[in-house]
Amino acid sequence: MAAVQQLLASPSPAPAPVSSQRINDTSASADMEIDSTSNDPVMIDSGLMKGAPQTGDSRIAVIVYGQGQENVVSVFAEVLGKPVKLKRSFKDVDHEDEGFVIGLALQEAKQDVEDRDQQLLVAINAHCVNLGMPPDLHLSIHCDYEFLYTETPFCRRDLARFISFTLGQTSPHSQLMAKPRTFFISTTFPDVQAALPNLDILTVGADAVEIRVDLLREPRGDGAFSDIPSLSYVGQQVMLLRQRTELPIIFTTRCTKENGKFPMDNPDLYYEYLYRAVQWGVEYIDVELWLPEHIRKKLYEKRGNSRIMSAFHDFSGTFKWPSQYAQDVFVKSRQYADIVKMIAIINDHNENFELEYFRSKIRAQYPDAPPLSAVNMGEIGQFSRTLNTVFSPITHPLLPIIAAPGQMSTAEINGALALLGQLPKKYFYGISSAAARSIAPRAPFYEKCFNELGLPHQFAVVERQHNNPAGIQSWCNQRDFGGAYLDPGLSYQTILKHNPWFSTLNNGQGPTLSEAAQGIGIIDTIVVKPSGSSGSGSTSTPPSQYSGTMPPGGQPGLAPNTSLIFDNASWRGILSTLTRDLAPSAYFGRTAVVLALTADDAAPVFFALKALKMSKIYTVGFRTPSGLARNAPPIEQFISMESLQRARSVADNRAPFVIISALGRGKSNIVGMMLRVFGEAGPPGSSNTKKVFLNLAEAASQQKNDPIVVAEQSGFTAYDAADVAAFTTVESLRLLVGQNVPYSFVRLASGRNLF
Ligand SMILES: O=C1C[C@@](O)(C(=O)O)C[C@@H](O)[C@@H]1O
């Protein structure tokens, strides 16, 4: 550390060219401390992190651009973290272009798009809707994907999401299927534009948003509306929706026989619309079961990274869940589906129980089948809507109409579950230090969410004294404990040392650790789970032994058959912040600098950087314990001017790309210096992606040496603690109450609108 201080005290050196021989010279490492256990770049999926970024499609991305739109190619390249080349035709693209993003003008691309080498390249038609023309039909049909965008405003986040998803670097479906309950909101707007102002509030509690394409009404210009909205109109509506929500979209063309407006005389039209939705990178495609098999099969085979939701609705009033027909419907649906949806009108309340029996029978009989989402319609069927756990359709009071008879909102579903004793009132706590509360006050937001979601729970912030981690157990060891977040998080050892009750859980084995908590060692979320049949053997403390302040309404002793899971949400907050405007591939194989006073502050950062497949982390200000280094990319501590110089002079993608600081305000000149040192643009031929700075310490304060300001002046894209806190809040709500609250709503509720 002394050496670092000395280094930091000296003036900023000019970049010195260092020969590659010197970089590879192992004798040069005599003055550096390697904290890692291995120096192999972490480039393989360890399988440790579910939903973490994947390498995905490694073909060369060729971006077809319209007249005067070549800039969009550079933006694609920046987002992917690659350099750009322009070419004259698809056949000019060859293996030498691997690692580049290729731009191709529309007129030239049209010539040989059909003959392109599909093993080598992936073709993306980028079309600017502001120019008033629909996309070129030939290119729309023949390119693999189509990105529709507005020039002003240009929504980079939308591009990052589109390209990460279509190239398979992200997988929202696997993340959603890991949730115990999922909901989607069926929007019924004739024009998505009308939904936009309320979208944040409308989507609280939803895991996905359905666009009912059949309900869209495209003005024809003569005061009337087209019978079917045109593809170019639908494309713009999808674009508008995607620009305003980070939630996955479900694209639905509901037919007239199933309570929709899409005509049924031409099944090929369904293919045309649904396949185009795949090309637009829509996450879920609703494919009705009545469609001819060859269409359903083709859509399933060509779905890319989109997921197919097979849909069956029976409005006859004669459908019976115990019938062979119901089972046949399931068997037929599952053939070409990632999710099977079955929805029927019933006449008797008992039929809700028949559906529950059907659900469990299907699960037992077809354990490898896609998940089943099944509900009954009408008021009588509402009970089944509270019991379905896979993609339950929901509505919201702010929508113009409900999408189907008997639809309920999340708040109504939760209210009903609470009345039925399925969602008992629990106490949740924000256990924080005074300093953390002032940086990112989360408490009012939790209360607001509980209200909005109709959850019966109570939330309270409890303050833990600085440097005193004792007393946490008092909040957890009570019958109605629902869960807690710790802000800041504490190390597993510290919690256990000062709160011995936790060690008595699980028959003395202690609380269960999630994979993230295990890898990071810092706990910021305590989740309550009903135990499996094996029984946790959790030990309740009798009142006489109970130490600490009793929470209002609390009864000492953890409820029987519950277990506690120690988890970490902040690494996901960091990961989501870093990938908001960039695809994960922008980070793959590159290096980072992490500044912190303690390894504990850096631990979640390491885990996020590992998920991003970064190849090396330079550290400043702390030593990395070997346990932490094992779960991180190789680490080198900056301890001397030479080690810093070396890192700065690397003439390729190994020069630090990300700087993450957890150093407080008093250390902002150290951070500022690092930013200036590493802020220069890369050498020619490297990517133009702006380097990234993340300030985890405190919100931007507009003072002169504010690291955020220095970072922006030094050419970085900068994010602050509030960004991470909002994403972390989203994650901790998911972990604690199983409900999704969009990031944009968190930002809105904390007083900063994102749009
Ligand atoms: O399939 C469904 C389910 C639904 O029909 C319902 O019953 O809530 C509503 C539709 O918008 C959606 O596509």
Side-chain angles (χ1 to χ4, degrees):
M1 187 65 197
V4 173
Q5 301 295 6
Q6 191 192 343
L7 172 142
L8 299 169
S10 54
S12 278
V18 179
S19 73
S20 56
Q21 198 189 354
R22 167 90 196 276
I23 297 162
N24 296 325
D25 180 0
T26 45
S27 65
S29 63
D31 58 357
M32 73 172 90
E33 267 185 78
I34 307 288
D35 286 15
S36 65
T37 49
S38 126
N39 260 335
D40 298 335
V42 179
M43 299 295 290
I44 43 154
D45 288 331
S46 61
L48 264 176
M49 296 166 271
K50 283 193 206 88
Q54 301 293 313
T55 310
D57 190 341
S58 51
R59 288 178 296 169
I60 301 166
V62 177
I63 315 301
V64 178
Y65 61 90
Q67 203 179 4
Q69 294 291 312
E70 51 274 29
N71 269 353
V72 78
V73 183
S74 315
V75 189
F76 266 93
E78 278 170 35
V79 168
L80 286 168
K82 296 189 169 162
V84 192
K85 269 187 199 172
L86 296 183
K87 293 256 162 151
R88 306 297 303 268
S89 68
F90 278 103
K91 70 175 172 320
D92 285 350
V93 181
D94 57 30
H95 285 284
E96 297 215 331
D97 299 319
E98 273 160 8
F100 285 83
V101 167
I102 306 297
L104 212 56
L106 180 145
Q107 288 308 336
E108 290 162 347
K110 275 175 84 162
Q111 307 307 317
D112 64 346
V113 63
E114 284 173 84
D115 308 324
R116 71 186 186 280
D117 179 352
Q118 298 201 22
Q119 303 286 330
L120 180 70
L121 55 90
V122 50
I124 299 166
N125 186 32
H127 175 78
C128 175
V129 306
N130 293 139
L131 305 178
M133 297 286 287
D136 179 278
L137 190 59
H138 186 73
L139 286 169
S140 291
I141 290 172
H142 293 289
C143 283
D144 297 288
Y145 297 105
E146 181 164 87
F147 179 65
L148 302 173
Y149 64 97
T150 43
E151 228 172 354
T152 41
F154 183 82
C155 189
R156 198 184 161 110
R157 218 167 323 124
D158 182 26
L159 174 55
R161 170 176 158 188
F162 165 85
I163 199 72
S164 312
F165 175 73
T166 51
L167 296 188
Q169 295 179 17
T170 52
S171 166
H173 182 61
S174 53
Q175 245 174 304
L176 284 183
M177 289 303 104
K179 273 189 83 205
R181 256 192 119 105
T182 39
F183 298 93
F184 73 89
I185 181 147
S186 328
T187 61
T188 48
F189 291 97
D191 178 355
V192 161
Q193 204 102 33
L196 301 182
N198 291 323
L199 205 58
D200 296 322
I201 189 98
L202 273 174
T203 52
V204 172
D207 295 283
V209 190
E210 176 182 54
I211 178 165
R212 281 285 301 266
V213 173
D214 57 296
L215 298 182
L216 295 175
R217 301 191 78 201
E218 179 181 10
R220 249 182 8 201
D222 58 358
F225 297 92
S226 332
D227 294 339
I228 310 170
S230 66
L231 264 177
S232 85
Y233 181 76
V234 174
Q236 289 192 32
Q237 293 275 306
V238 170
M239 176 198 71
L240 285 172
L241 186 58
R242 196 167 52 191
Q243 285 179 347
R244 276 301 296 259
T245 178
E246 82 257 21
L247 293 181
I249 292 176
I250 303 171
F251 187 94
T252 303
T253 47
R254 186 67 65 240
C255 72
T256 46
K257 202 173 146 219
E258 299 190 12
N259 202 30
K261 293 218 157 81
F262 224 69
M264 299 174 73
D265 48 359
N266 180 10
D268 289 339
L269 200 65
Y270 286 79
Y271 180 81
E272 204 183 321
Y273 278 63
L274 299 178
Y275 182 60
R276 192 57 53 80
V278 170
Q279 292 176 301
W280 289 330
V282 174
E283 289 83 353
Y284 290 98
I285 315 294
D286 179 292
V287 180
E288 296 184 336
L289 190 64
W290 68 272
L291 286 166
E293 181 172 357
H294 73 272
I295 290 188
R296 291 185 294 116
K297 182 166 186 277
K298 199 158 147 200
L299 282 167
Y300 186 73
E301 287 168 355
K302 295 185 71 178
R303 72 196 193 287
N305 292 303
S306 301
R307 292 293 167 255
I308 303 291
M309 224 184 228
S310 165
F312 165 85
H313 290 76
D314 193 310
F315 280 85
S316 67
T318 58
F319 180 85
K320 296 288 172 228
W321 290 106
S323 66
Q324 182 59 40
Y325 174 63
Q327 188 156 338
D328 292 346
V329 166
F330 178 81
V331 170
K332 187 174 169 196
S333 308
R334 77 173 183 143
Q335 243 185 316
Y336 306 117
D338 297 292
I339 291 177
V340 173
K341 190 162 58 175
M342 292 176 65
I343 295 180
I345 286 276
I346 52 164
N347 304 299
D348 189 293
H349 180 56
N350 279 334
E351 293 176 71
N352 289 315
F353 298 111
E354 290 175 354
L355 165 54
E356 291 321 303
Y357 182 69
F358 178 82
R359 215 191 290 282
S360 57
K361 193 176 77 174
I362 288 292
R363 214 176 290 141
Q365 228 167 312
Y366 305 98
D368 301 325
L372 171 67
S373 167
V375 298
N376 289 321
M377 283 182 282
E379 216 173 312
I380 303 182
Q382 283 186 327
F383 181 60
S384 68
R385 291 187 185 259
T386 66
L387 297 182
N388 178 60
T389 56
V390 179
F391 269 117
S392 290
I394 50 169
T395 183
H396 192 279
L398 289 171
L399 284 170
I401 50 166
I402 51 167
Q407 259 196 341
M408 301 162 85
S409 66
T410 341
E412 283 169 333
I413 291 180
N414 286 331
L417 286 171
L419 271 179
L420 295 168
Q422 299 299 304
L423 191 59
K425 177 173 176 170
K426 297 278 178 195
Y427 289 85
F428 287 81
Y429 299 99
I431 304 175
S432 60
S433 70
R437 284 178 68 185
S438 64
I439 293 173
R442 290 207 232 165
F445 175 75
Y446 264 71
E447 279 160 25
K448 201 178 167 89
C449 279
F450 283 11
N451 276 340
E452 203 56 49
L453 292 165
L455 294 171
H457 311 313
Q458 195 149 326
F459 180 80
V461 172
V462 291
E463 205 160 290
R464 146 177 101 64
Q465 283 168 356
H466 190 59
N467 287 336
N468 182 8
I472 294 176
Q473 62 188 31
S474 349
W475 306 106
C476 306
N477 183 15
Q478 51 158 313
R479 188 152 298 260
D480 296 326
F481 175 59
Y485 69 74
L486 309 181
D487 186 20
L490 288 167
S491 83
Y492 178 70
Q493 279 81 11
T494 306
I495 297 179
L496 257 60
K497 187 169 154 210
H498 297 273
N499 299 270
W501 169 75
F502 287 114
S503 312
T504 68
L505 298 172
N506 259 332
N507 297 321
Q509 290 175 50
T512 310
L513 287 178
S514 72
E515 283 163 329
Q518 218 161 6
I520 298 167
I522 302 293
I523 312 305
D524 62 17
T525 314
I526 301 177
V527 182
V528 178
K529 278 263 149 64
S531 287
S533 47
S534 60
S536 75
S538 66
T539 313
S540 304
T541 308
S544 58
Q545 291 174 27
Y546 191 85
S547 66
T549 330
M550 186 57 59
Q555 269 184 47
L558 193 64
N561 298 323
T562 47
S563 59
L564 298 188
I565 301 187
F566 278 13
D567 212 329
N568 186 290
S570 7
W571 79 277
R572 273 218 186 266
I574 294 163
L575 179 73
S576 304
T577 305
L578 294 176
T579 51
R580 200 179 80 183
D581 304 310
L582 290 178
S585 63
Y587 295 91
F588 293 170
R590 303 182 97 167
T591 64
V593 178
V594 177
L595 301 97
L597 285 181
T598 67
D600 283 2
D601 290 344
V605 176
F606 282 14
F607 205 67
L609 298 184
K610 180 184 178 184
L612 284 170
K613 304 180 199 306
M614 298 207 74
S615 63
K616 185 165 194 166
I617 299 176
Y618 297 98
T619 63
V620 177
F622 63 99
R623 284 234 34 176
T624 307
S626 55
L628 183 57
R630 227 173 287 127
N631 287 300
I635 289 159
E636 178 181 331
Q637 192 182 18
F638 280 148
I639 51 154
S640 67
M641 193 63 119
E642 286 72 32
S643 60
L644 191 139
Q645 268 287 42
R646 251 196 315 276
R648 189 167 65 145
S649 320
V650 180
D652 62 15
N653 273 353
R654 283 175 293 150
F657 173 67
V658 193
I659 297 188
I660 301 183
S661 167
L663 294 180
R665 207 174 281 230
K667 303 268 189 281
S668 41
N669 28 2
I670 301 180
V671 185
M673 194 206 94
M674 286 287 165
L675 288 164
R676 287 191 201 93
V677 167
F678 290 112
E680 295 108 18
S686 64
S687 100
N688 281 332
T689 310
K690 273 169 104 178
K691 294 188 178 192
V692 174
F693 172 62
L694 174 56
N695 189 20
L696 290 175
E698 48 201 290
S701 58
Q702 305 305 321
Q703 61 191 18
K704 211 174 113 237
N705 59 354
D706 176 352
I708 294 278
V709 176
V710 178
E712 278 163 357
Q713 285 164 352
S714 311
F716 285 79
T717 303
Y719 302 97
D720 66 20
D723 293 304
V724 177
F727 278 120
T728 303
T729 302
V730 170
E731 182 62 14
S732 63
L733 267 163
R734 261 187 222 151
L735 293 171
L736 291 174
V737 292
Q739 299 264 357
N740 190 51
V741 174
Y743 165 82
S744 48
F745 180 73
V746 184
R747 295 304 322 238
L748 185 74
S750 61
R752 211 174 106 180
N753 195 347
L754 200 67
F755 300 99

